[in-house]
């Protein structure tokens, strides 16, 4: 197996939603099909330990996310699709990297700093209240995910840019201290892959609880679309597509010419009820077939397991010999 041209992880926390689809799943599905690239995609279940302490939720979320990616057309035979916890080399590399990472670097991590600030704002005597070592050092686990497969490019959301900078810093330290084994990975923030608005107009996100699940029933999808907040402009009055949540969601799914045509209907004053119905129909027609596949996969988790296990075998074709090389380089090797 070759090193990763593209690599990205998905933390199994929660149910896959429309925002995940346009932001991460759809672009990944496209590159998973490319014969000229080796793409690695994995369920970052060790990352999910940081926030979630409910085993059932973690298990369910892993199942749903794997099923969603497969149902939406991930070419799991062409790419490398696996579960982080099936690759024991990752936690081993994490420790090796931990011993090279400056504590000061971790002190600067946004997520950790935000947690400290929250405690201080709450007038907590202990500014580290509730902060585990997992939260503190999680950028090192992420660095190990990436460096284990010597990934060249890492597509992520904007909130992950700092983690990529840290990964490069850590890789540089290893290369300097021991030997140049690691490629410094580049972050890829795809500006064109839309950030979807949620039910209330803010970014669609699990943490705002304003998301539309990808694979509820058709009836439920319709109900959710009907819930999207609009303003009180009347049925025949012109409307501004730029500030409209319905339009922004439509745009993330439709072609350019369809989007253009819809903008013209806004100018003429399409009624909100009509727009909601059309938006529902548009999304539903895209999700209909994947929904059937998804339901089948959820009913047959053994099929998903087989796919993930085969992915781990492929991934370990790279990670086992590479970790061996890393161990030798740092002087952990057979003495005889
Ligand atoms: N931390 C990432 C997120 O929250 C998920 C992730 C874990 C990841 N390991 C990764 C992304 C490695 C890219 C590469 O979105």
């Amino acid at each position: 197996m070759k090193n990763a041209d593209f690599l990205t992880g998905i933390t199994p926390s929660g149910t896959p939603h429309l925002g995940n689809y346009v932001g991460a799943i759809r672009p990944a599905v496209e590159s998973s099909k490319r014969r000229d690239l080796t793409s690695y995609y994995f369920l970052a279940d060790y990352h999910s330990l940081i926030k979630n302490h409910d085993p059932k939720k973690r298990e369910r979320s892993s199942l749903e996310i794997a099923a969603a990616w497969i149902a939406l057309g991930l070419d799991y035979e062409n790419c490398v699709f696996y579960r982080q916890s099936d690759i024991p080399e990752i936690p081993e590399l994490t420790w090796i990297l931990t011993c090279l990472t400056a504590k000061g670097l971790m002190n600067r991590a946004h997520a950790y700093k935000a947690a400290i600030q929250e405690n201080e704002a709450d007038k907590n005597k202990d500014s580290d209240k509730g902060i585990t070592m997992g939260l503190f050092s999680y950028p090192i686990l992420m660095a190990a995910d990436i460096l284990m497969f010597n990934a060249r490019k890492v597509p992520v959301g904007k909130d992950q840019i700092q983690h990529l900078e840290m990964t490069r810093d850590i890789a540089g330290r290893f290369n300097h201290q021991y030997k140049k084994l690691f490629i410094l990975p580049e972050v890829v923030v795809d500006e064109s892959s839309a950030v979807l608005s949620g039910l209330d107009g803010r970014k669609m996100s699990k943490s705002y609880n304003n998301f539309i699940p990808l694979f509820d029933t058709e009836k439920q999808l319709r109900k959710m679309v009907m819930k999207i907040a609009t303003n009180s402009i009347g049925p025949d009055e012109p409307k501004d597509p730029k500030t409209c949540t319905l339009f922004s969601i439509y745009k993330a799914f439709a072609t350019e010419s369809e989007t253009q045509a819809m903008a013209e209907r806004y100018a003429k004053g399409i009624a909100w009820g009509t727009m909601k119905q059309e938006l529902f129909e548009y999304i539903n027609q895209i999700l209909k077939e994947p929904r059937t596949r998804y339901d089948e996969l959820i009913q047959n988790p053994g099929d998903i397991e087989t796919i993930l296990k085969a992915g781990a075998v492929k991934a370990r074709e790279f990670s086992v010999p590479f970790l061996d090389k890393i161990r030798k380089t740092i002087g952990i090797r057979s003495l005889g």
Side-chain angles (χ1 to χ4, degrees):
M1 191 41 66
K2 223 181 115 306
N3 73 312
D5 294 308
F6 282 95
L7 175 144
T8 201
I10 320 99
T11 307
S13 54
T15 289
H17 57 67
L18 293 185
N20 300 139
Y21 176 61
V22 301
I25 308 176
R26 189 171 59 189
V29 165
E30 277 163 32
S31 50
S32 76
K33 295 180 180 149
R34 285 180 54 175
R35 305 281 143 175
D36 57 329
L37 289 180
T38 306
S39 298
Y40 283 59
Y41 301 108
F42 67 97
L43 292 173
D45 50 355
Y46 282 144
H47 285 261
S48 79
L49 289 170
I50 294 165
K51 284 195 192 143
N52 172 16
H53 302 291
D54 180 337
K56 286 219 165 60
K57 275 196 190 151
R58 183 173 0 273
E59 192 185 345
R60 179 72 196 174
S61 177
S62 300
L63 177 73
E64 289 184 356
I65 290 175
W69 282 59
I70 299 166
L72 288 161
L74 187 81
D75 189 342
Y76 53 82
E77 290 189 339
N78 188 50
C79 72
V80 189
F81 182 52
Y82 57 102
R83 179 170 42 201
Q84 182 184 34
S85 59
D86 283 336
I87 317 293
E89 293 74 34
I90 293 174
E92 191 170 339
L93 180 59
T94 303
W95 179 250
I96 296 170
L97 300 178
T98 299
C99 295
L100 283 169
T101 304
K103 176 172 173 285
L105 184 69
M106 294 299 101
N107 286 342
R108 290 193 286 280
H110 298 319
Y112 170 65
K113 277 189 3 194
I116 295 266
Q117 273 162 11
E118 222 171 279
N119 279 336
E120 284 170 353
D122 279 352
K123 304 243 172 335
N124 267 313
K125 278 205 197 81
D126 178 9
S127 60
D128 276 323
K129 188 169 177 229
I131 300 174
T132 64
M133 287 307 293
L135 174 71
F136 183 65
S137 52
Y138 122 84
I140 314 176
L141 176 59
M142 182 156 160
D145 291 330
I146 298 167
L147 299 177
M148 190 70 262
F149 299 101
N150 244 342
R152 287 175 206 284
K153 296 201 166 141
V154 183
V156 283
K158 282 200 192 73
D159 59 331
Q160 300 293 315
I161 294 174
Q162 190 195 30
H163 295 144
L164 261 293
E165 285 164 4
M166 291 174 159
T167 302
R168 292 167 63 90
D169 192 313
I170 296 167
R173 272 173 191 252
F174 183 99
N175 289 348
H176 177 75
Q177 183 73 41
Y178 295 108
K179 192 173 159 194
K180 201 166 171 295
L181 293 189
F182 293 121
I183 294 171
L184 303 194
E186 279 172 43
V187 65
V188 185
V189 180
D190 185 357
E191 299 291 346
S192 69
S193 71
V195 173
L196 211 64
S197 307
L199 296 175
D200 56 359
R202 290 187 293 174
K203 178 187 167 190
M204 188 179 289
S205 150
K206 184 178 86 85
S207 34
Y208 294 148
N209 200 18
N210 63 353
F211 62 89
I212 302 180
L214 268 168
F215 293 122
D216 258 342
T217 58
E218 191 170 304
K219 205 170 148 208
Q220 193 61 21
L221 177 65
R222 187 171 186 284
K223 209 168 136 193
M224 292 303 268
V225 171
M226 296 301 150
K227 269 198 206 164
I228 298 171
T230 51
N231 56 29
S232 55
I233 300 180
D236 298 317
E237 292 174 65
K239 299 177 176 67
D240 183 8
K242 278 199 237 50
T243 55
C244 176
T245 306
L246 295 168
F247 186 83
S248 78
I249 299 178
Y250 183 80
K251 187 169 171 227
F253 286 91
T255 65
E256 221 164 283
S257 62
E258 286 165 338
T259 306
Q260 188 56 39
M262 188 54 87
E264 281 158 25
R265 292 175 67 197
Y266 265 65
K268 286 191 199 126
I270 186 174
W272 291 135
T274 312
M275 178 58 188
K276 284 185 171 178
Q277 181 61 27
E278 292 201 20
L279 177 61
F280 157 70
E281 281 166 14
Y282 202 98
I283 301 175
N284 191 46
Q285 141 241 322
I286 292 174
L287 294 181
K288 224 181 168 100
E289 271 181 40
R291 186 187 293 125
T292 310
R293 279 199 293 276
Y294 177 85
D295 291 342
E296 270 169 28
L297 285 159
I298 294 285
Q299 295 310 315
N300 297 286
D303 294 352
I304 303 177
E305 189 61 28
T306 305
I307 291 171
L308 289 173
K309 279 282 183 317
V313 169
K314 282 201 266 180
R316 295 191 74 205
E317 282 171 21
F318 189 88
S319 63
V320 171
F322 190 37
L323 185 69
D324 200 44
K325 197 165 163 187
I326 296 166
R327 281 166 142 258
K328 288 205 173 95
T329 302
I330 64 175
I332 293 184
R333 50 166 94 198
S334 151
L335 296 176

